[in-house]
Amino acid sequence: MAGPLGTGQVDEGALLWSPPANAIERRQVGRFLRFLRDRGDLVAEGYHDLWRWSVDDLDAFWAAVWDFFAVRAHDPYEKVLAHRSMPGARWFTGATLNYAEHALARGGNRPAVIARSDTRGDDILTFDDLRDRVARVAAGLRRLGVQPGDRVAAYLPNLPETLVAFLATASIGAIWSSCAPEFGTRSVIDRLQQLTPKVLLTVDGYRYGPREVERAEQVAEIRAALPGLRATVLLPYLRPARDRSRLPDMVTWQELTAQPAALRFTPVAFDYPLYILFSSGTTGIPKAIVHGHGGILLEHLKVLALHHDLTASDRFFWFSTTGWMMWNYLVSGLLLGSCIVLFDGDPAHPDLTRLWRMAADTRITYFGVSAPFLLHCRRAGLRPGRDLDLSGLRGVGSTGAPLPPEGFAWVYEQVGRDLLLGSASGGTDLCTAFVGPSPLLPVHAGEIACRCLGAKVEAFDPRGRPLVGERGELVITAPMPSMPVGFWGDDDGSRYRAAYFDRYPGVWRHGDWIRITERGSCVITGRSDATLNRGGIRMGTSEFYRALDDVPEVRDALVVHLEDTAGGPGRLVLFVALADDSDLEQLRLRLAQQLRERLSPRHVPDEIHAVPDVPRTLSGKRLEVPVKRLLAGEAVEHVASEGALANPGSLEAFAAIARRASHHPGS
């Protein structure tokens, strides 16, 4: 252990933690290294040798992952990587398997799930309980007509029932997708209409801290927009004894699970769809990203075991809603026999110690949250390591945004000095972290320790040349098994190619800025596109604009999220071009209410400004990134060419707002 602890300030790159001398003997990745040596694949001196081999010899590396974790195949694979071009790489051709079979491979009375909720009491499921409940729900879904390939959609919180329904869906070979119930109806409909689900699972409402949130009206609106639904299953979560007249014609959760059944699994191809996650860029409806059984299985086994060092003795937690990929990541702790901890509620009620107290109470060993949450705790002066018994904790995960050096220092000062702080970055697009921690590498303030195994991450300059020590576009130059099977409904693959392969042919461009240091660590400095990320809900700006479509007073709009260089939550800033005779002061409350209801409370802007016009390119695209750069202090002439604008001069109003903000930073 080293580093300037106790000051609250730390320079980027300062050494904060070093792995113990016996790490290679005690950690999962060390056991993997011995496995490789014993079978003659590789004799490596340390992590960086292992990483280089993992990206240079993809066939040997992923075959070793398959064997090390004893993947259960109903039919063996013929070839590890039949086609390696991107897009279109094909993995483990011929193999059949099932993700849920691996998640439910263990039985017994050991806890599999610990759940805590604002809405009801704590719940604990053993592995035997989990297997029984999944079998019952799978049987219930089959009675409702669900078959392989059908879509099952959920409008559910982070509950054991949600986990059970997902695993039941996967066991059948049906395809899962979920939205958190805090999403407004427009966001949910834009997602689920693309999928034509056969079954919708929902709650009647929930509590968030002391507040009750009814969802009956929203559920009715969502059902009406999904005419292909065969059935809706209601979990009466807010009011277990609710009068069903407000939510008629539904199957109750009790009815769905009434009949015991044998647990069985449908074998599917390696790249057969497991679930559909949603992300979006700056135009169009949210992208429906299809992930396959085998790709998710192998990638999550690898990253959770070899990077987070999870084992069957761990209790694994990551704060997430069911609308974020980190929920899927958390669920995969079951693949390694870990007990997963679920939380549904307000993490700051009655105060910010809420999750830390849960960690102490439930003996969590790996505690994952967002970087903004850690920074909120730091600013609030929390000292959870002093005030609570966190002796069981050995790892802290951070994602969702870059964690600045001060956030790293706070964890080591106020949570624990012997922890592995796993700052990580990845995305919904691959449903994983592709840069993250390693138990074999030190932790440096403000830096992500390494590029993950099997992930050939590089920083590219605009000409596609790799950079070291300089900021560049984050790209992946070799295929990974968890790259999407495709986008739902994108039959010719054109949207998929345009999303990731438009700038560098044959190379995945992710949309982040990255700097890879000389020692192999990484620094993510933000999105290189305009996607919004508020409180763990990642949303494209097009969804934001869609929520304003039926406000007649708003003629046009532009929204940007400004990151706080000091590590705070940043600012969400909305600019509106108003119709004639409209007054912004009379609109503010209505706009806030509209965005809260249609999107989420996190997407209510911190600031709203009226502008004469929204800048657009000649092809009609809003200039979100140039506006963001303007507000960060860059000059108009540096952010956009007036000749490329459909409305030259429109950026001047934004520049004036930026100048006023620089003179009055608190405004």
Side-chain angles (χ1 to χ4, degrees):
M1 183 67 214
L5 298 182
T7 64
Q9 300 294 322
V10 63
D11 293 332
E12 182 176 295
L15 180 65
L16 298 178
W17 180 87
S18 294
N22 62 352
I24 206 161
E25 285 81 34
R26 297 178 56 193
R27 303 303 179 210
Q28 290 265 59
V29 66
R31 289 191 281 275
F32 183 62
L33 281 168
R34 292 195 296 276
F35 173 81
L36 296 175
R37 180 196 61 203
D38 292 346
R39 67 192 243 152
D41 279 345
L42 177 72
V43 177
E45 296 298 321
Y47 181 82
H48 295 298
D49 287 346
L50 177 59
W51 178 80
R52 176 53 60 188
W53 173 77
S54 78
V55 296
D56 286 348
D57 195 341
L58 295 175
D59 294 70
F61 171 70
W62 288 106
V65 170
W66 179 288
D67 293 341
F68 182 72
F69 292 106
V71 169
R72 301 181 179 193
H74 292 255
D75 295 291
Y77 65 84
E78 298 158 0
K79 196 169 184 181
V80 172
L81 187 52
H83 304 288
R84 62 179 58 235
S85 59
M86 293 191 293
R90 294 209 47 218
W91 293 91
F92 293 92
T93 51
T96 60
L97 42 69
N98 191 290
Y99 171 95
E101 184 173 7
H102 292 78
L104 297 167
R106 294 162 178 83
N109 292 321
R110 188 167 57 87
V113 181
I114 298 172
R116 186 160 289 187
S117 161
D118 281 350
T119 308
R120 66 183 182 197
D122 294 356
D123 198 3
I124 297 177
L125 275 65
T126 68
F127 279 93
D128 281 348
D129 293 334
L130 184 59
R131 288 170 59 87
D132 174 66
R133 295 191 191 189
V134 169
R136 287 171 178 266
V137 171
L141 291 174
R142 288 189 177 98
R143 291 195 300 274
L144 294 176
V146 174
Q147 300 175 1
D150 288 337
R151 276 74 64 206
V152 174
Y155 190 49
L156 294 173
N158 188 7
L159 305 173
E161 289 89 343
T162 312
L163 166 67
V164 166
F166 159 56
L167 293 175
T169 300
S171 75
I172 295 171
I175 305 166
W176 173 264
S177 192
S178 62
C179 297
E182 65 184 74
F183 275 33
T185 52
R186 185 71 259 166
S187 293
V188 177
I189 291 168
D190 284 346
R191 288 162 166 79
L192 299 188
Q193 270 186 338
Q194 299 181 59
L195 310 185
T196 58
K198 180 173 281 188
V199 172
L200 174 69
L201 303 108
T202 185
V203 288
D204 58 336
Y206 60 92
R207 288 188 180 87
Y208 191 78
R211 185 166 58 93
E212 291 190 352
V213 182
E214 291 275 359
R215 276 293 175 253
E217 292 181 6
Q218 288 77 7
V219 171
E221 188 176 344
I222 293 165
R223 293 177 74 193
L226 303 174
L229 277 181
R230 175 79 62 87
T232 302
V233 177
L234 171 66
L235 174 65
Y237 181 50
L238 179 61
R239 305 195 194 286
R242 175 182 290 278
D243 176 2
R244 290 175 63 180
S245 62
R246 291 198 66 204
L247 293 163
D249 305 319
M250 295 193 189
V251 177
T252 67
W253 185 263
Q254 184 177 6
E255 292 165 344
L256 182 74
T257 61
Q259 297 181 20
L263 189 61
R264 53 193 175 101
F265 304 96
T266 300
V268 296
F270 186 88
D271 58 358
Y272 191 87
L274 170 64
Y275 44 64
I276 297 171
L277 304 180
F278 287 93
S279 181
S280 75
T282 57
T283 59
I285 61 175
K287 300 190 293 289
I289 302 170
V290 183
H291 287 289
H293 276 250
I296 291 298
L297 172 66
L298 276 193
E299 172 59 35
H300 285 184
L301 283 169
K302 177 214 74 178
V303 72
L304 294 177
L306 305 185
H307 289 274
H308 297 297
D309 197 40
L310 288 189
T311 69
S313 63
D314 280 298
R315 292 190 171 183
F316 179 42
F317 168 75
W318 213 296
F319 177 69
S320 177
T321 71
T322 56
W324 189 24
M325 61 145 283
M326 293 310 298
W327 182 82
N328 306 74
Y329 199 77
L330 168 64
V331 166
S332 284
L334 294 169
L335 299 174
L336 296 158
S338 299
C339 171
I340 62 173
V341 180
L342 311 179
F343 176 83
D344 174 47
D346 183 351
H349 177 77
D351 55 54
L352 268 176
T353 65
R354 175 84 180 274
L355 296 183
W356 299 107
R357 285 187 281 108
M358 184 181 72
D361 294 344
T362 61
R363 305 298 292 171
I364 288 171
T365 60
Y366 199 99
F367 180 85
V369 287
S370 68
F373 175 82
L374 295 174
L375 296 169
H376 287 321
C377 292
R378 175 179 178 267
R379 285 194 298 274
L382 265 58
R383 297 182 176 183
R386 182 199 66 179
D387 298 337
L388 299 165
D389 179 8
L390 298 178
S391 57
L393 197 62
R394 62 181 187 84
V396 171
S398 171
T399 193
L403 184 66
E406 293 75 20
F408 278 71
W410 179 83
V411 170
Y412 282 107
E413 291 168 356
Q414 306 300 347
V415 182
R417 297 199 170 202
D418 295 323
L419 300 169
L420 174 60
L421 172 55
S423 182
S425 184
T428 300
D429 321 78
L430 288 91
C431 197
T432 193
F434 39 70
V435 293
S438 170
L440 303 183
L441 294 176
V443 174
H444 295 270
E447 297 180 5
I448 298 173
C450 61
R451 292 171 280 185
C452 292
L453 299 173
K456 198 170 186 180
V457 173
E458 299 186 68
F460 266 17
D461 72 7
R463 296 185 181 180
R465 297 173 299 192
L467 302 168
V468 175
E470 300 178 47
R471 189 182 80 163
E473 282 275 2
L474 191 160
V475 297
I476 305 174
T477 57
M480 294 174 63
S482 71
M483 285 178 173
V485 174
F487 292 168
W488 190 262
D490 181 31
D491 295 336
D492 64 358
S494 57
R495 290 187 71 206
Y496 181 41
R497 290 191 298 274
Y500 309 113
F501 301 100
D502 60 340
R503 183 169 301 181
Y504 307 107
V507 172
W508 175 290
R509 183 181 74 91
H510 193 66
D512 281 341
W513 297 118
I514 189 173
R515 176 167 53 85
I516 300 170
T517 72
E518 288 77 4
R519 59 173 165 261
S521 60
C522 306
V523 179
I524 303 288
T525 54
R527 297 289 298 173
S528 61
D529 60 19
T531 302
L532 307 175
N533 192 345
R534 293 283 283 185
I537 298 179
R538 184 174 165 183
M539 184 174 288
T541 52
S542 64
E543 295 186 75
F544 199 101
Y545 303 135
R546 197 192 269 0
L548 298 176
D549 280 348
D550 58 356
V551 180
E553 294 89 347
V554 175
R555 178 168 47 86
D556 205 351
L558 184 146
V559 64
V560 295
H561 181 242
L562 303 177
E563 291 82 11
D564 183 354
T565 56
R571 291 182 293 149
L572 190 65
V573 186
L574 173 63
F575 301 91
V576 290
L578 299 176
D580 292 341
D581 301 321
S582 297
D583 179 51
L584 178 59
E585 295 311 312
Q586 296 177 8
L587 270 179
R588 287 185 189 276
L589 286 177
R590 214 170 107 218
L591 290 173
Q593 181 180 3
Q594 179 91 349
L595 292 165
R596 181 181 290 109
E597 291 176 356
R598 292 295 185 91
L599 301 176
S600 82
R602 293 178 175 90
H603 290 88
V604 175
D606 299 294
E607 301 171 27
I608 305 177
H609 300 277
V611 291
D613 209 357
V614 166
R616 290 180 178 267
T617 65
L618 294 172
S619 61
K621 294 182 180 179
R622 295 174 175 90
L623 272 70
E624 293 151 334
V625 172
V627 165
K628 190 172 181 178
R629 291 169 59 191
L630 263 182
L631 297 177
E634 294 190 45
V636 171
E637 58 269 25
H638 293 157
V639 303
S641 168
E642 287 286 303
L645 300 186
N647 42 4
S650 57
L651 284 170
E652 289 300 332
F654 296 81
I657 292 170
R659 287 192 294 270
R660 290 199 300 272
S662 67
H663 290 116
H664 305 284
S667 63

